[in-house]
Amino acid sequence: MTTKPLLICLSTASIGGFLELTTASKFTSSHQSQLTAITPCILIGTGLWTLAHGFTVGKARIKYATLAKKDGETNVDERYLLPNLYAQGTSKHVRAFNCIQRSHQQIFETYTTVVLSGVMGAISFPICTAVSTFVYAVGRYQLSTGYAEAAGEGGDASKRYKYPLAKFMWYGFLCNVLLGMGSCGLIVGGKKTVG
């Protein structure tokens, strides 16, 4: 990992958090509960989209197993069907299905951290956390879409970043982590109370 994304996120989260604590405190204090609810709303929407996206994986599993059988591949059921998460082998159908599977599976590598840090960050920094969570959600959608569409391009997973906002998933992720940690620090240090 290069340091550039980390430095961008660190400076953005620090400046945004500082401004939110100092200049926007009058506005945020009178609307705290409404603003705090924005981040969980974005996270719930992202969770529902993740569930819906999972159905495309199930359809793709059947589609590519059927195509593999038509092309004469052997042991198709053992290689493609559940309980296998990914299809086994290197055929074009395996690569295509695995791109779609990866488009869904990769979500779970970051989602729990985004949820926990987003909820904690929203306590102290509701505006900044809502923005970074939204950036994560849009980037996540575009990255998963790029991965899934790579199936139609011969299973070339390097095409996953073909959408311009896909890489911003990582910026939203890092900003959420930093804001969540900052909020936890304020709570533990007695500078912010919960409730």
Side-chain angles (χ1 to χ4, degrees):
M1 178 179 179
T2 64
T3 56
K4 183 180 176 184
L6 187 58
L7 291 175
I8 290 171
C9 292
L10 185 59
S11 60
T12 303
S14 299
I15 292 167
F18 175 76
L19 290 174
E20 192 166 346
L21 283 176
T22 56
T23 60
S25 62
K26 291 177 185 172
F27 174 75
T28 57
S29 64
S30 62
H31 296 88
Q32 184 71 33
S33 61
Q34 293 94 336
L35 293 171
T36 303
I38 295 171
T39 297
C41 286
I42 296 168
L43 292 169
I44 290 167
T46 305
L48 290 173
W49 168 78
T50 301
L51 177 66
H53 187 57
F55 294 125
T56 63
V57 176
K59 290 178 188 174
R61 185 179 297 277
I62 294 166
K63 173 186 172 182
Y64 287 106
T66 303
L67 289 172
K69 285 179 183 177
K70 283 183 182 177
D71 283 355
E73 290 186 30
T74 59
N75 301 324
V76 171
D77 289 345
E78 293 87 27
R79 292 175 36 236
Y80 282 84
L81 301 182
L82 293 171
N84 294 327
L85 190 60
Y86 291 96
Q88 305 301 310
T90 57
S91 72
K92 65 181 180 181
H93 301 306
V94 167
R95 286 192 316 272
F97 169 72
N98 285 345
C99 278
I100 294 171
Q101 172 62 29
R102 185 74 181 137
S103 76
H104 184 253
Q105 187 63 32
Q106 189 191 30
I107 296 168
F108 301 110
E109 295 172 8
T110 57
Y111 193 64
T112 5
T113 304
V114 167
V115 169
L116 182 59
S117 59
V119 169
M120 289 308 298
I123 293 170
S124 300
F125 311 107
I127 297 169
C128 289
T129 305
V131 169
S132 67
T133 303
F134 183 74
V135 167
Y136 167 83
V138 170
R140 174 77 266 165
Y141 173 78
Q142 287 202 340
L143 182 60
S144 290
T145 302
Y147 244 131
E149 289 176 358
E153 299 175 20
D156 183 2
S158 68
K159 308 274 185 187
R160 68 189 180 273
Y161 287 104
K162 74 179 188 177
Y163 290 106
L165 298 178
K167 68 179 179 179
F168 287 99
M169 183 214 74
W170 298 108
Y171 291 97
F173 173 79
L174 287 171
C175 283
N176 257 25
V177 168
L178 293 168
L179 291 165
M181 289 173 54
S183 183
C184 288
L186 289 173
I187 293 167
V188 170
K191 304 285 185 192
K192 181 79 178 174
T193 58
V194 181

